[in-house]
Amino acid sequence: MTKIVTSLSGHLRLLKKRTYQTAVLLLMSCIMGGFKVARAQDLNKKFTVINRIISLDRKSGVVHLNKAEGAGIAWINGQVFDKGVIEFDVKGKDEFQGSFLGIAFHGVNDSIYESVYFRPFNFRSTDLGRKSHAVQYIALPGYDWPKLRTGFPNQFEQLVLPAPDPNQWFHVKIIVAGELVSVYVNNSKRPALKVKSLTRTGGKMIGYWVGNGADGNWRNLKISSE
Protein backbone atom coordinates (compact mmCIF):
# COMPACT_ATOMS: atom_id res chain seq x y z
CA MET A 1 0.00 0.00 0.00
CA THR A 2 2.82 2.39 0.93
CA LYS A 3 4.49 1.73 -2.43
CA ILE A 4 1.25 2.52 -4.25
CA VAL A 5 0.80 5.82 -2.37
CA THR A 6 4.43 6.76 -3.01
CA SER A 7 4.07 5.95 -6.69
CA LEU A 8 0.86 8.01 -6.98
CA SER A 9 2.50 10.94 -5.21
CA GLY A 10 5.40 10.79 -7.64
CA HIS A 11 3.07 10.73 -10.63
CA LEU A 12 1.12 13.68 -9.26
CA ARG A 13 4.30 15.71 -8.74
CA LEU A 14 5.44 14.88 -12.29
CA LEU A 15 2.02 15.81 -13.66
CA LYS A 16 2.05 19.13 -11.80
CA LYS A 17 5.57 19.86 -13.09
CA ARG A 18 4.60 19.09 -16.69
CA THR A 19 1.40 21.13 -16.35
CA TYR A 20 3.43 24.06 -15.04
CA GLN A 21 5.97 23.76 -17.85
CA THR A 22 3.18 23.59 -20.44
CA ALA A 23 1.52 26.66 -18.95
CA VAL A 24 4.80 28.58 -19.05
CA LEU A 25 5.39 27.60 -22.68
CA LEU A 26 1.86 28.64 -23.61
CA LEU A 27 2.31 31.97 -21.81
CA MET A 28 5.62 32.64 -23.56
CA SER A 29 4.06 31.71 -26.88
CA CYS A 30 1.21 34.17 -26.30
CA ILE A 31 3.63 36.92 -25.29
CA MET A 32 5.87 36.37 -28.32
CA GLY A 33 2.83 36.17 -30.56
CA GLY A 34 1.63 39.46 -29.09
CA PHE A 35 5.02 41.03 -29.78
CA LYS A 36 4.90 39.85 -33.39
CA VAL A 37 1.40 41.26 -33.85
CA ALA A 38 2.43 44.55 -32.24
CA ARG A 39 5.53 44.76 -34.46
CA ALA A 40 3.46 44.03 -37.56
CA GLN A 41 0.98 46.72 -36.54
CA ASP A 42 3.84 49.19 -35.94
CA LEU A 43 5.29 48.49 -39.40
CA ASN A 44 1.87 48.89 -41.00
CA LYS A 45 1.67 52.34 -39.45
CA LYS A 46 5.10 53.29 -40.77
CA PHE A 47 4.85 51.79 -44.26
CA THR A 48 2.40 51.21 -47.06
CA VAL A 49 3.70 48.01 -48.61
CA ILE A 50 2.95 46.96 -52.18
CA ASN A 51 3.42 43.31 -53.23
CA ARG A 52 5.87 42.44 -50.46
CA ILE A 53 6.14 41.63 -46.77
CA ILE A 54 8.29 44.02 -44.76
CA SER A 55 10.26 43.17 -41.63
CA LEU A 56 12.52 45.18 -39.34
CA ASP A 57 15.40 44.03 -37.18
CA ARG A 58 15.11 46.47 -34.31
CA LYS A 59 18.62 45.78 -33.03
CA SER A 60 20.44 46.47 -36.31
CA GLY A 61 17.83 48.73 -37.88
CA VAL A 62 17.83 46.63 -41.07
CA VAL A 63 14.66 46.82 -43.16
CA HIS A 64 13.96 43.73 -45.28
CA LEU A 65 11.56 43.14 -48.16
CA ASN A 66 10.94 39.54 -49.13
CA LYS A 67 11.19 37.91 -52.55
CA ALA A 68 8.09 37.72 -54.77
CA GLU A 69 7.04 37.97 -58.40
CA GLY A 70 6.72 41.49 -59.75
CA ALA A 71 8.13 44.71 -58.34
CA GLY A 72 7.55 45.68 -54.72
CA ILE A 73 7.58 48.96 -52.81
CA ALA A 74 7.41 49.98 -49.16
CA TRP A 75 6.29 53.61 -49.14
CA ILE A 76 7.29 55.45 -45.97
CA ASN A 77 4.13 56.92 -44.46
CA GLY A 78 4.32 60.61 -43.62
CA GLN A 79 7.62 61.12 -45.47
CA VAL A 80 7.60 63.47 -48.45
CA PHE A 81 10.41 64.17 -50.91
CA ASP A 82 10.66 66.48 -53.91
CA LYS A 83 14.30 67.47 -54.17
CA GLY A 84 17.33 67.10 -51.95
CA VAL A 85 19.52 64.18 -50.86
CA ILE A 86 18.70 60.53 -50.20
CA GLU A 87 21.35 58.38 -48.49
CA PHE A 88 21.22 54.75 -47.42
CA ASP A 89 23.13 51.50 -47.14
CA VAL A 90 21.83 48.59 -49.17
CA LYS A 91 22.65 44.91 -49.54
CA GLY A 92 21.68 42.60 -52.40
CA LYS A 93 23.34 39.42 -53.63
CA ASP A 94 25.34 37.96 -56.48
CA GLU A 95 22.47 35.98 -57.97
CA PHE A 96 22.00 36.35 -61.73
CA GLN A 97 18.67 38.04 -62.47
CA GLY A 98 17.81 37.71 -58.79
CA SER A 99 18.78 41.01 -57.18
CA PHE A 100 17.23 44.36 -58.10
CA LEU A 101 16.95 46.89 -55.29
CA GLY A 102 17.00 50.61 -54.61
CA ILE A 103 14.71 53.54 -53.87
CA ALA A 104 11.48 54.79 -55.42
CA PHE A 105 10.72 58.52 -55.19
CA HIS A 106 8.34 61.15 -56.58
CA GLY A 107 5.67 58.50 -56.11
CA VAL A 108 2.01 59.09 -56.81
CA ASN A 109 0.99 55.44 -56.37
CA ASP A 110 2.44 51.97 -57.01
CA SER A 111 2.58 52.54 -60.79
CA ILE A 112 3.65 56.18 -61.11
CA TYR A 113 7.08 57.02 -59.69
CA GLU A 114 10.78 57.36 -60.43
CA SER A 115 13.38 54.92 -59.16
CA VAL A 116 17.11 54.41 -58.93
CA TYR A 117 18.09 50.81 -58.39
CA PHE A 118 21.04 48.43 -58.61
CA ARG A 119 21.77 45.03 -60.10
CA PRO A 120 24.49 43.70 -57.75
CA PHE A 121 24.97 40.54 -59.83
CA ASN A 122 26.40 42.76 -62.58
CA PHE A 123 28.87 44.67 -60.39
CA ARG A 124 31.86 42.41 -61.04
CA SER A 125 30.72 40.56 -64.12
CA THR A 126 33.43 39.76 -66.66
CA ASP A 127 30.87 40.51 -69.39
CA LEU A 128 31.31 44.22 -70.16
CA GLY A 129 27.73 44.50 -71.39
CA ARG A 130 26.35 43.19 -68.11
CA LYS A 131 28.78 45.24 -66.08
CA SER A 132 27.49 48.44 -67.71
CA HIS A 133 24.00 47.59 -66.43
CA ALA A 134 24.88 47.91 -62.74
CA VAL A 135 22.86 51.01 -61.78
CA GLN A 136 19.58 52.02 -63.42
CA TYR A 137 17.17 54.96 -63.49
CA ILE A 138 13.54 54.44 -64.51
CA ALA A 139 10.43 56.63 -64.62
CA LEU A 140 7.18 54.70 -64.64
CA PRO A 141 4.86 54.17 -66.34
CA GLY A 142 6.39 55.51 -69.54
CA TYR A 143 10.06 54.70 -69.16
CA ASP A 144 10.84 51.26 -67.80
CA TRP A 145 14.29 49.75 -68.38
CA PRO A 146 13.56 47.85 -71.66
CA LYS A 147 12.42 51.04 -73.40
CA LEU A 148 15.36 53.03 -72.04
CA ARG A 149 17.93 50.38 -72.95
CA THR A 150 16.60 50.18 -76.52
CA GLY A 151 15.92 53.85 -77.12
CA PHE A 152 18.66 55.44 -75.03
CA PRO A 153 21.50 52.91 -74.71
CA ASN A 154 24.01 53.60 -71.90
CA GLN A 155 22.27 56.82 -70.87
CA PHE A 156 20.06 55.66 -68.02
CA GLU A 157 22.15 52.73 -66.80
CA GLN A 158 25.87 52.52 -66.14
CA LEU A 159 28.59 50.50 -64.45
CA VAL A 160 29.74 51.24 -60.92
CA LEU A 161 33.45 51.88 -60.33
CA PRO A 162 35.10 50.74 -58.21
CA ALA A 163 32.75 47.77 -58.23
CA PRO A 164 31.32 46.95 -54.79
CA ASP A 165 31.19 43.40 -53.47
CA PRO A 166 27.75 42.23 -54.69
CA ASN A 167 27.12 40.28 -51.48
CA GLN A 168 28.03 43.06 -49.03
CA TRP A 169 26.62 46.38 -47.90
CA PHE A 170 27.38 49.43 -50.01
CA HIS A 171 26.53 53.09 -49.50
CA VAL A 172 24.37 55.12 -51.87
CA LYS A 173 23.84 58.86 -52.14
CA ILE A 174 21.24 60.21 -54.55
CA ILE A 175 21.04 63.94 -55.21
CA VAL A 176 17.88 65.24 -56.85
CA ALA A 177 18.41 68.84 -57.92
CA GLY A 178 15.84 70.26 -60.28
CA GLU A 179 15.72 67.92 -63.27
CA LEU A 180 19.06 66.25 -62.50
CA VAL A 181 19.39 62.95 -60.65
CA SER A 182 22.96 62.05 -59.59
CA VAL A 183 23.92 58.75 -57.98
CA TYR A 184 27.09 58.24 -55.93
CA VAL A 185 28.28 54.88 -54.57
CA ASN A 186 30.56 54.30 -51.57
CA ASN A 187 31.41 57.98 -51.14
CA SER A 188 32.88 58.31 -54.62
CA LYS A 189 33.41 61.90 -55.74
CA ARG A 190 32.29 61.03 -59.25
CA PRO A 191 28.66 59.98 -59.87
CA ALA A 192 28.11 56.45 -61.11
CA LEU A 193 25.01 57.76 -62.90
CA LYS A 194 23.84 61.26 -63.75
CA VAL A 195 20.63 61.68 -65.71
CA LYS A 196 17.94 64.19 -66.52
CA SER A 197 14.60 63.25 -65.03
CA LEU A 198 12.22 61.96 -67.69
CA THR A 199 8.99 62.92 -66.00
CA ARG A 200 7.39 65.28 -63.53
CA THR A 201 4.96 63.10 -61.61
CA GLY A 202 4.03 65.71 -59.03
CA GLY A 203 4.24 62.98 -56.43
CA LYS A 204 6.25 63.18 -53.22
CA MET A 205 6.11 59.63 -51.88
CA ILE A 206 9.39 57.84 -51.22
CA GLY A 207 10.15 54.27 -50.25
CA TYR A 208 12.20 51.10 -50.58
CA TRP A 209 11.99 49.36 -53.98
CA VAL A 210 12.73 45.84 -55.24
CA GLY A 211 12.35 44.37 -58.71
CA ASN A 212 10.80 41.20 -60.03
CA GLY A 213 11.75 38.12 -58.04
CA ALA A 214 14.06 40.06 -55.73
CA ASP A 215 14.38 40.71 -52.01
CA GLY A 216 16.57 43.31 -50.34
CA ASN A 217 17.99 44.89 -47.19
CA TRP A 218 18.41 48.56 -46.27
CA ARG A 219 19.69 50.50 -43.29
CA ASN A 220 20.69 54.05 -42.27
CA LEU A 221 18.22 55.82 -44.53
CA LYS A 222 18.61 59.61 -44.39
CA ILE A 223 16.39 61.98 -46.36
CA SER A 224 17.27 65.67 -46.58
CA SER A 225 14.64 67.63 -48.43
CA GLU A 226 15.23 71.11 -49.81
Side-chain angles (χ1 to χ4, degrees):
M1 186 70 178
T2 303
K3 289 183 179 180
I4 295 174
V5 171
T6 303
S7 178
L8 286 173
S9 298
H11 282 302
L12 285 172
R13 284 196 298 271
L14 181 60
L15 181 61
K16 287 180 180 179
K17 183 178 180 180
R18 287 179 177 175
T19 301
Y20 173 77
Q21 291 174 337
T22 301
V24 170
L25 288 173
L26 285 172
L27 179 61
M28 291 301 295
S29 178
C30 290
I31 292 172
M32 293 306 295
F35 282 153
K36 289 180 180 179
V37 171
R39 287 177 181 176
Q41 291 174 343
D42 289 343
L43 290 176
N44 287 335
K45 291 178 182 178
K46 293 180 179 179
F47 300 97
T48 297
V49 184
I50 310 298
N51 194 38
R52 285 299 188 276
I53 297 172
I54 191 169
S55 58
L56 171 65
D57 186 316
R58 295 185 182 276
K59 186 175 181 179
S60 65
V62 173
V63 173
H64 176 78
L65 292 180
N66 71 316
K67 179 188 293 189
E69 291 186 10
I73 308 174
W75 297 116
I76 304 169
N77 295 333
Q79 180 69 61
V80 296
F81 178 82
D82 182 27
K83 57 183 179 180
V85 181
I86 310 164
E87 289 193 70
F88 56 94
D89 299 320
V90 64
K91 182 181 179 183
K93 53 190 174 184
D94 191 8
E95 180 181 316
F96 182 62
Q97 300 294 355
S99 191
F100 311 92
L101 68 172
I103 287 284
F105 56 96
H106 293 164
V108 176
N109 51 42
D110 60 326
S111 58
I112 303 175
Y113 58 86
E114 294 174 82
S115 176
V116 169
Y117 69 92
F118 297 86
R119 302 181 180 100
F121 56 87
N122 283 338
F123 284 170
R124 296 184 178 180
S125 174
T126 55
D127 183 316
L128 194 55
R130 279 182 51 194
K131 196 168 185 176
S132 65
H133 300 158
V135 56
Q136 174 84 54
Y137 164 89
I138 58 174
L140 299 186
Y143 297 96
D144 206 348
W145 71 265
K147 182 174 182 177
L148 294 176
R149 185 173 295 177
T150 301
F152 310 91
N154 301 318
Q155 291 187 40
F156 294 94
E157 57 184 340
Q158 284 291 336
L159 48 74
V160 175
L161 292 176
D165 184 329
N167 293 305
Q168 298 298 323
W169 291 97
F170 59 96
H171 185 73
V172 179
K173 181 178 182 180
I174 302 171
I175 300 176
V176 180
E179 295 183 334
L180 291 178
V181 179
S182 303
V183 185
Y184 298 83
V185 176
N186 284 339
N187 302 308
S188 174
K189 294 182 179 179
R190 179 175 296 180
L193 184 68
K194 188 172 185 178
V195 300
K196 185 177 180 181
S197 177
L198 291 172
T199 185
R200 189 64 182 171
T201 68
K204 295 187 177 181
M205 295 165 61
I206 184 170
Y208 303 106
W209 183 96
V210 284
N212 180 46
D215 60 351
N217 300 284
W218 296 258
R219 67 185 182 190
N220 300 327
L221 176 66
K222 297 178 183 178
I223 301 170
S224 304
S225 297
E226 294 182 0

